[in-house]
Amino acid sequence: MTVLTPEERGHQKGISLVGLLFWAVLIAIVAVVALRVLPTVNEYLTIQRAVNKIAASGATTVPEIRAAFDKQKEVEYSITTIAGKDLNITKENDRIVVRFAYDKEVELFGPVFLLIKYEGRSN
C-alpha cells in the first residue's frame, strides 16, 4: 500500500460542510433579527417625521400639539407605541421643542427578547 503525500494528493479549495452550515446559521440569525427590528425602526422614523411636522406647524399650546399628534397618529397607522400624552413639550429660544422616548420589546424566538430604547426630538 502506498501513502500519498499532500503534494501528490492535490490541494482542495473551497468551504467545508461545517463551514457552510456555520455561515448559513449565522446569516439566518442576522436575517431574523433584521426582519423583527425593521418595523420598529420604521415606526420611530414615522414618529420623528410627525413630531417635526407638528413642531413646524405653528401650534403654540401643549393641548394643540398633543391633539395634532393624535390626529397624525390616526393617519399614520404604523404609530402604535406612543400617543400625544406621551410627548414632552418645551420651549427653547421661542421655538417649540417636542421630545419623545419609548421602549420597544421585540420577540426574537422563544424566551429571547430584544429591548430597544428609542428617543428623539423635533428639529
Side-chain angles (χ1 to χ4, degrees):
M1 182 163 140
T2 60
V3 177
L4 299 176
T5 65
E7 292 79 30
E8 294 172 336
R9 279 186 266 159
H11 185 69
Q12 287 186 337
K13 294 182 180 178
I15 189 168
S16 68
L17 181 61
V18 173
L20 180 67
L21 289 175
F22 170 77
W23 285 108
V25 168
L26 187 66
I27 290 170
I29 289 171
V30 169
V32 166
V33 170
L35 288 173
R36 300 288 174 107
V37 169
L38 283 177
T40 68
V41 172
N42 182 41
E43 180 182 26
Y44 168 77
L45 294 174
T46 304
I47 292 170
Q48 185 68 51
R49 279 192 305 270
V51 163
N52 286 335
K53 181 178 176 183
I54 291 165
S57 71
T60 56
T61 66
V62 172
E64 284 178 4
I65 293 170
R66 290 189 173 158
F69 183 82
D70 287 333
K71 285 180 186 176
Q72 187 69 29
K73 182 181 170 183
E74 291 174 10
V75 173
E76 297 285 348
Y77 292 111
S78 64
I79 301 175
T80 59
T81 306
I82 67 171
K85 64 180 174 56
D86 299 321
L87 299 176
N88 182 2
I89 303 159
T90 59
K91 205 171 213 183
E92 293 177 6
N93 300 328
D94 294 332
R95 285 184 42 221
I96 300 291
V97 177
V98 182
R99 290 184 174 86
F100 63 93
Y102 62 95
D103 298 342
K104 190 74 172 185
E105 276 188 1
V106 178
E107 182 180 359
L108 295 179
F109 41 86
V112 178
F113 286 82
L114 178 65
L115 176 65
I116 304 173
K117 294 180 178 271
Y118 289 110
E119 63 180 52
R121 61 173 276 171
S122 62
N123 294 335

